[in-house]
Amino acid sequence: MNSTLEAVNRFNEAFNRHDVDAIMAHMTEDCVFDNTRPVPDGQRFVGQAAVRGYWELLFDRSPHARFETEEMIAMGDRCVGLWVYHWIRDGAPGHVRGVDIFRVRDGLIAEKFSYVKG
């Protein structure tokens, strides 16, 4: 397995554990995260503090959040992951399909750009 794919897999495993400390340990200091917020350009968070704040809020609001990876494609420092995001709201399960585009630098996630269908 290449190091780009290994870095993304470590990140995804930490995400599904809701382990924000581990998630951030797998991201660079100057990391960038573009979320899937339904506005024309999404929302961008830059740097450890901003990205950490987003993850903490997400897990607080969605304690059952879980990504199911459908396929990962890695080449060089880039990785594309197709996924299904699952949640439970008011006792009812829901999901959406999407894709993440990662850039890995020195074994850490430097960029995570997320897009969803819908």
Side-chain angles (χ1 to χ4, degrees):
M1 186 180 308
N2 76 33
S3 61
T4 296
L5 190 55
E6 289 170 351
V8 172
N9 284 336
R10 284 191 305 268
F11 173 90
N12 286 338
E13 289 167 5
F15 183 94
N16 280 334
R17 291 191 315 269
H18 296 196
D19 185 342
V20 176
D21 288 337
I23 291 170
M24 298 315 301
H26 296 301
M27 300 189 85
T28 63
E29 286 297 318
D30 61 346
C31 57
V32 177
F33 170 59
D34 277 356
N35 78 4
T36 61
R37 191 101 174 144
V39 295
D41 295 314
Q43 282 182 306
R44 179 169 280 207
F45 300 87
V46 179
Q48 283 268 328
V51 174
R52 173 183 285 278
Y54 180 81
W55 297 136
E56 289 171 346
L57 183 62
L58 173 72
F59 295 136
D60 184 54
R61 290 182 176 171
S62 191
H64 302 287
R66 180 179 57 85
F67 276 95
E68 173 189 346
T69 301
E70 294 185 308
E71 184 176 2
M72 296 291 249
I73 304 161
M75 179 180 268
D77 67 347
R78 288 286 196 177
C79 183
V80 176
L82 285 70
W83 45 257
V84 180
Y85 173 64
H86 299 272
W87 67 84
I88 297 174
R89 184 174 300 134
D90 298 327
H95 76 275
V96 67
R97 288 191 135 74
V99 63
D100 281 345
I101 301 170
F102 294 91
R103 182 181 304 272
V104 173
R105 186 173 69 235
D106 299 325
L108 300 173
I109 306 300
E111 297 174 349
K112 180 183 186 298
F113 301 150
S114 297
Y115 301 91
V116 297
K117 289 182 167 270

